Amino acid sequence: MRYPASEKLEIIRLVEESHLSARRTLAKRGIPRTTFYRWYARPQESAV
C-alpha cells in the first residue's frame, strides 16, 4: 500500500508523540518498522 506524503508525515508525528514505543505504535497501525524508518530518514519532498 502506498501512502501519500501527508499521511506519512501524520504517522511520523504520531510515533514521535506517542507514549508507546515506536515498535508498538507501528504495530497498531500495521506499518513495518523498516518502512517507517525509510520514511523518517528520507527528506520529505513536499517540505522543500
Side-chain angles (χ1 to χ4, degrees):
M1 173 180 210
R2 296 190 57 80
Y3 293 89
S6 60
E7 192 167 350
K8 291 177 186 179
L9 287 173
E10 182 181 329
I11 293 167
I12 289 171
R13 287 189 190 115
L14 177 71
V15 170
E16 288 178 336
E17 295 172 0
S18 177
H19 66 280
L20 299 174
S21 67
R23 177 180 286 193
R24 281 193 175 175
T25 304
L26 293 169
K28 286 184 175 214
R29 298 281 302 200
I31 299 169
R33 286 185 308 140
T34 53
T35 300
F36 170 78
Y37 286 113
R38 191 175 335 115
W39 296 344
Y40 197 78
R42 187 177 298 162
Q44 297 297 319
E45 294 176 13
S46 62
V48 175

